[in-house]
């Protein structure tokens, strides 16, 4: 049967949907209508493709990480180099799509939430280019962890608002951005950075990110004459993973592996891996999905070394792909991700984002168990320049 | 007829409007919720909206979010909130209690179990901020089966078609959010509210409550002139926040009396 999700109301099986206060309903109706109008519009798609090529620098290459493959002594590891995009991560793909939509809807102001700062930087970048006012909400804790990205956003003309409520991380930034949107809904477009939030966001962000998987399919065919045995991507909200998974969903012999943040280890409870930990379903940030929560339904604080994965929920489509067993989800702990980070730096000359290092780590874990002609494709979703302070601190180095 | 409908009917015969204060259960600490509930009734509240604390209250402003944080510091759970309502009912069988909160604590308890326990505790209505009617038809059925009133929000952005579809699921009253934004925001345009309330009234016989942005006796009076109920949320919580545990009940009662006199 053909995979055809979400349904018209944005549901992926029991997940997804549109769980918002009444104040946002009209705005979401308008967005849904506009997105449906433009998603197949040739002129819109041509403009999107032009920007991806000439501004972002797509297609991003696929690189055979030969030394690491040899080091692991099993499957061949290939990297989809989203880190080489303008702004240094996959986030910009989606921002361009949504900003083009904002322009067509006549909204002069865009807002965004950000965790690691990559989505904030991408939003600020696109806003600068299109002359839109830009406000980015970022948890106060993340502002500290990701100071280079905060400065980047400011250089690009964005206002960065540190969010002091709750756990002061990504989920709180999302709460605050939603509040801004409710208040300024008539002139403001909310650029959500991941495949979560109320319908149509999970679908729209996935569609804009699907360029990653679409390119990979063609590139793998050209390079190897075949598709990989497995595709690996890190999952916080899960936009880079959905982007590379989605075009492969019907390719049933390609394993799809989402790598969540295991933090200090699943057994410690201090992680950000709701799917791997089989957390129960619940409602947060406008959609039903699997959520890290206590027995009373309060959202609990998560932990990950990487700000971009430090989120208690996950995109609803990932929850669905796990339920229907089309994708597998695993967790990689902080220390394993750090090790992969250093290995990739030293053996391939690539400084990966700590988020992406989780996916690399899992590839290095399973490669030795596979034959030498097996192929693993890892979505290297971002570069690690933003993480050098974190890495230095954890290595007891003063910059 | 439900306790909510009865209350509205009785007020109507007296030519009065309903005053509905909001407090978060467990704020400023769990032992003060019961005295606050009784104090509000003494000071003239006709119904009470009791907030279920939630870690991520997205539709609320900073004032009500801090109230949730204070309650959660005492680990106040949905079960605890229902216990507080049951305690309130030991002395008060007439004042309707409307629970207001977010979907996740209800889903964690289980919708059916929640409906059953809420009824048993003496709850009258339930407003779940992030359950628009189209996402919670099963829940609406469970509430109605327990004779609990599902309360829904309408917003300045809700067009006629939307109003029509929302009120189909509503019982008790409808809650008109008088401005765009979160709870406790400023600037309320009375003329705009009046025309919107009139538009809603043309589609339903349900009483209409107005809230979000009612800050003082003067706005309460203006809102009471056009609506059937005035909801005072952030302003009440602000009073709790700025009081000490010793004087909080008296301060909240004084505020309610002032507003009662105006409504």
């Amino acid at each position: 049967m053909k995979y055809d999700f979400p349904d018209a109301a944005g549901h992926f099986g029991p997940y997804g949907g549109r769980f918002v206060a009444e104040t946002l309903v009209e705005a979401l109706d308008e967005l849904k209508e506009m997105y449906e109008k433009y998603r197949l519009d040739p002129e819109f798609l041509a403009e999107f493709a032009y920007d991806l090529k000439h501004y972002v620098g797509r297609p991003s290459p696929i690189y055979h990480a030969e030394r690491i493959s040899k080091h692991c002594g099993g499957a061949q590891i290939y990297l989809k180099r989203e880190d080489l995009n303008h702004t240094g991560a996959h986030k910009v793909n989606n921002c361009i799509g949504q900003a083009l939509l904002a322009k067509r809807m006549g909204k002069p102001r865009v807002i965004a939430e950000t965790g690691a700062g990559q989505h904030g930087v991408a939003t600020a970048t696109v806003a600068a280019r299109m002359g839109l006012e830009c406000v980015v909400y970022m948890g106060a804790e993340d502002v500290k962890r990701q100071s280079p990205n905060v400065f980047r956003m400011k250089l690009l003309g964005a206002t960065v608002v540190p969010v002091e409520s709750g756990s002061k991380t990504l989920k709180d930034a999302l709460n605050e951005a939603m509040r801004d949107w409710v208040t300024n809904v008539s002139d403001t477009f909310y650029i959500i950075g991941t495949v979560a939030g109320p319908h149509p966001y999970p679908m729209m962000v996935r569609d804009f990110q699907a360029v990653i998987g679409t390119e990979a399919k063609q590139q793998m065919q050209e390079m190897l004459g075949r598709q990989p045995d497995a595709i690996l991507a890190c999952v916080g909200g899960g936009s880079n993973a959905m982007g590379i998974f989605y075009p492969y969903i019907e390719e049933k012999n390609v394993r799809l592996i989402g790598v969540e943040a295991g933090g200090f280890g699943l057994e410690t409870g201090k992680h950000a891996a709701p799917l791997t930990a089989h957390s129960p379903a619940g409602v947060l940030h406008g959609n039903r999905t699997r959520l890290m929560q206590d027995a009373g339904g309060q959202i609990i604080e998560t932990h990950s070394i990487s700000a971009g994965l430090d989120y208690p929920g996950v995109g609803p489509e990932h929850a669905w792909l796990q339920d229907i067993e089309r994708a597998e989800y695993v967790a990689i702990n902080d220390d394993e991700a750090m090790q992969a980070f250093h290995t990739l730096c030293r053996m391939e000359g690539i400084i990966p984002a700590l988020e992406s290092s989780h996916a690399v780590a899992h590839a290095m874990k399973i490669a030795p168990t596979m034959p030498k002609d097996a192929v693993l494709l890892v979505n290297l979703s971002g570069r690690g320049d933003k993480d050098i302070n974190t890495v230095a601190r954890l290595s007891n180095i003063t910059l | 007829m439900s306790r909510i409908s009865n209350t509205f009917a009785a007020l109507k015969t007296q030519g009065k409007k309903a005053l509905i204060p909001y407090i978060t259960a467990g704020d400023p600490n769990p032992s003060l919720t019961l005295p606050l509930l009784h104090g509000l009734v003494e000071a003239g509240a006709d119904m009470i909206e009791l907030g279920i604390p939630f870690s991520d209250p997205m539709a609320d402003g900073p004032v009500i979010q801090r109230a949730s944080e204070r309650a959660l510091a005492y680990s106040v759970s949905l079960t605890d909130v229902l216990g507080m309502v049951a305690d309130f009912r030991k002395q008060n069988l007439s004042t309707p209690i409307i629970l207001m909160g977010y979907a996740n604590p209800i889903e964690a308890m289980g919708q059916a179990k929640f409906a059953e326990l809420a009824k048993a505790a003496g709850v009258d209505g339930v407003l779940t901020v992030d359950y628009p009617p189209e996402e919670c038809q099963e829940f609406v059925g469970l509430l109605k089966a327990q004779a609990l009133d599902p309360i829904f929000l309408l917003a300045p952005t809700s067009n006629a078609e939307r109003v029509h579809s929302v009120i189909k699921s509503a019982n008790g009253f409808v809650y008109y959010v008088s401005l765009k934004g979160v709870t406790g925001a400023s600037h309320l345009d009375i003329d705009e509210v009046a025309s919107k309330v009139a538009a809603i009234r043309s589609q339903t016989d349900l009483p209409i409550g107005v809230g979000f942005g009612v800050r003082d006796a003067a706005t309460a009076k203006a809102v009471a002139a056009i609506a059937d109920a005035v909801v005072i949320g952030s302003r009440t919580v602000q009073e709790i926040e700025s009081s000490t545990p010793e004087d909080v009940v008296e301060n909240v009662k004084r505020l309610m009396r002032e507003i009662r006199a105006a409504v």
Side-chain angles (χ1 to χ4, degrees):
Chain A
M1 210 174 76
K2 197 170 154 48
Y3 181 89
D4 186 20
F5 293 94
D7 68 15
H11 296 108
F12 301 87
Y15 307 112
R18 197 173 72 169
F19 293 85
V20 295
E22 183 61 25
T23 329
L24 283 178
V25 167
E26 197 208 44
L28 289 166
D29 279 343
E30 184 194 10
L31 178 61
K32 185 179 163 211
E33 194 184 314
M34 293 304 269
Y35 182 57
E36 272 164 10
K37 179 175 167 191
Y38 287 113
R39 66 185 298 228
L40 300 173
D41 176 61
E43 204 178 303
F44 179 83
L45 292 174
E47 197 176 338
F48 183 47
Y50 182 92
D51 282 357
L52 289 181
K53 181 174 178 188
H54 296 281
Y55 191 64
V56 176
R58 304 202 69 91
S60 66
I62 286 183
Y63 165 72
H64 182 195
E66 284 182 74
R67 289 194 70 210
I68 284 197
S69 303
K70 203 168 169 195
H71 170 75
C72 292
Q76 301 306 305
I77 298 174
Y78 287 75
L79 305 174
K80 176 66 171 161
R81 298 290 309 274
E82 290 298 299
D83 61 315
L84 293 177
N85 290 340
H86 178 44
T87 74
H90 72 290
K91 292 288 185 188
V92 70
N93 304 327
N94 165 56
C95 289
I96 288 187
Q98 291 197 45
L100 288 175
L101 211 50
K103 211 171 74 176
R104 279 169 171 74
M105 290 169 74
K107 310 268 184 184
R109 178 173 181 268
V110 295
I111 57 170
E113 85 295 336
T114 196
Q118 292 303 96
H119 175 58
V121 167
T123 304
T125 298
V126 172
R129 173 165 173 259
M130 295 195 186
L132 302 167
E133 185 193 340
C134 178
V135 176
V136 179
Y137 292 91
M138 190 168 184
E141 198 57 43
D142 293 336
V143 168
K144 270 190 270 171
R145 285 197 278 196
Q146 307 285 344
S147 55
N149 271 345
V150 175
F151 188 55
R152 256 180 216 122
M153 287 183 264
K154 288 179 179 169
L155 285 175
L156 292 160
T159 305
V160 180
V161 182
V163 177
E164 299 281 354
S165 58
S167 59
K168 304 177 189 180
T169 59
L170 179 57
K171 80 175 173 72
D172 309 287
L174 238 150
N175 290 340
E176 213 53 41
M178 284 272 185
R179 290 178 180 133
D180 179 314
W181 199 33
V182 171
T183 310
N184 302 298
V185 69
S186 54
D187 73 343
T188 298
F189 189 105
Y190 180 13
I191 300 187
I192 293 186
T194 193
V195 286
H199 181 62
Y201 282 102
M203 173 178 82
M204 180 168 71
V205 176
R206 172 197 75 190
D207 292 351
F208 288 143
Q209 291 293 2
V211 64
I212 304 171
T214 305
E215 282 176 7
K217 242 176 161 174
Q218 194 186 338
Q219 290 166 317
M220 290 311 286
Q221 196 60 41
E222 284 167 10
M223 285 175 85
L224 299 175
R226 71 160 178 119
Q227 296 303 327
D229 297 286
I231 294 178
L232 299 96
C234 63
V235 175
S239 69
N240 89 80
M242 260 341 292
I244 196 163
F245 287 178
Y246 184 58
Y248 279 98
I249 285 181
E250 305 276 353
E251 306 270 334
K252 295 289 162 62
N253 46 2
V254 179
R255 283 171 66 192
L256 305 176
I257 306 174
V259 185
E260 295 187 302
F264 294 134
L266 256 52
E267 67 288 353
T268 66
K270 296 198 179 311
H271 59 85
L275 293 178
T276 314
H278 297 287
S279 302
V283 173
L284 182 71
H285 294 148
N287 61 125
R288 181 178 281 124
T289 186
R290 303 262 296 284
L291 291 173
M292 292 183 54
Q293 53 186 306
D294 66 16
Q298 305 297 340
I299 307 306
I300 56 178
E301 288 188 15
T302 52
H303 166 78
S304 169
I305 193 177
S306 77
L309 302 184
D310 207 351
Y311 182 67
V314 61
E317 193 163 12
H318 286 295
W320 179 235
L321 291 176
Q322 187 188 41
D323 276 16
I324 63 171
E325 297 181 348
R326 178 59 193 97
E328 314 153 44
Y329 294 85
V330 296
I332 282 290
N333 297 350
D334 286 352
D335 52 353
E336 298 172 298
M338 276 296 282
Q339 207 178 340
F341 172 91
H342 287 298
T343 308
L344 204 62
C345 290
R346 300 292 281 269
M347 297 192 73
E348 298 290 352
I350 295 171
I351 302 179
L354 285 175
E355 289 77 14
S356 323
S357 301
H358 286 71
V360 175
H362 192 67
M364 291 175 62
K365 202 184 235 183
I366 62 173
T369 69
M370 301 171 83
K372 285 194 165 58
D373 60 351
V375 173
L376 297 176
L377 176 62
V378 177
N379 197 14
L380 198 73
S381 55
R383 69 175 186 227
D385 308 45
K386 70 183 175 57
D387 293 314
I388 56 172
N389 288 322
T390 305
V391 174
R393 198 182 65 241
L394 290 166
S395 318
N396 290 316
I397 294 165
T398 313
L399 293 181
Chain B
M1 278 220 305
S2 72
R3 197 151 29 204
I4 293 173
S5 305
N6 282 332
T7 303
F8 273 112
L11 287 168
K12 198 171 184 183
T13 58
Q14 299 164 36
K16 282 172 70 183
K17 299 301 174 74
L19 174 61
I20 313 181
Y22 166 97
I23 60 170
T24 299
D27 173 37
N29 69 56
S31 64
L32 281 167
T33 300
L34 197 57
L36 278 169
L37 291 172
H38 290 306
L40 287 167
V41 176
E42 277 169 40
D46 300 299
M47 310 182 199
I48 295 171
E49 253 186 42
L50 186 61
I52 305 164
F54 184 49
S55 51
D56 294 79
M58 285 189 319
D60 286 297
V63 171
I64 290 183
Q65 175 163 31
R66 286 197 297 271
S68 256
E69 286 172 3
R70 285 192 292 272
L72 289 175
Y74 292 94
S75 303
V76 174
S77 67
L78 180 49
T79 307
D80 297 331
V81 177
L82 294 175
M84 293 171 187
V85 177
D87 285 345
F88 174 74
R89 283 281 170 251
K90 287 176 188 162
Q91 287 178 55
N92 184 320
L93 289 171
S94 59
T95 309
I97 296 277
I98 297 138
L99 291 187
M100 180 168 183
Y102 291 79
N104 204 53
I106 292 173
E107 297 210 349
M109 176 177 275
Q111 293 179 342
K113 186 178 167 197
F114 166 76
E116 206 175 294
L117 296 180
K119 182 64 188 178
V123 170
D124 301 287
V126 178
L127 196 174
T128 316
V129 180
D130 50 354
Y131 265 164
E134 61 274 18
E135 293 286 5
C136 68
Q137 280 308 302
E138 204 179 316
F139 184 57
V140 166
L142 290 165
L143 292 178
K144 288 183 175 171
Q146 297 285 352
L148 293 167
D149 289 334
I151 313 291
F152 286 99
L153 299 172
L154 287 169
T157 48
S158 312
N159 58 30
E161 195 186 334
R162 178 73 189 167
V163 170
H164 180 73
S165 83
V166 171
I167 56 176
K168 277 194 297 194
S169 299
N171 267 352
F173 70 99
V174 292
Y175 185 147
Y176 177 66
V177 174
S178 53
L179 41 84
K180 292 177 187 172
V182 293
T183 51
S186 52
H187 56 267
L188 186 149
D189 182 339
I190 287 292
D191 291 340
E192 205 182 308
V193 175
S195 76
K196 194 71 195 189
V197 167
I200 296 168
R201 218 181 274 290
S202 71
Q203 291 206 45
T204 180
D205 294 331
L206 286 173
I208 301 169
V210 171
F212 283 40
V214 183
R215 311 197 56 78
D216 50 25
T219 32
K221 187 176 179 177
V223 167
I226 48 178
D228 303 300
V230 184
V231 185
I232 320 273
S234 297
R235 181 64 189 89
T236 314
V237 174
Q238 247 165 15
E239 198 64 31
I240 293 173
E241 187 166 49
S242 62
S243 299
T244 65
E246 290 70 37
D247 65 12
V248 65
V249 177
E250 278 319 305
N251 289 347
V252 168
K253 281 167 79 174
R254 181 165 14 85
L255 171 73
M256 260 331 102
R257 283 197 200 96
E258 276 169 31
I259 295 173
R260 176 79 268 177
V263 170

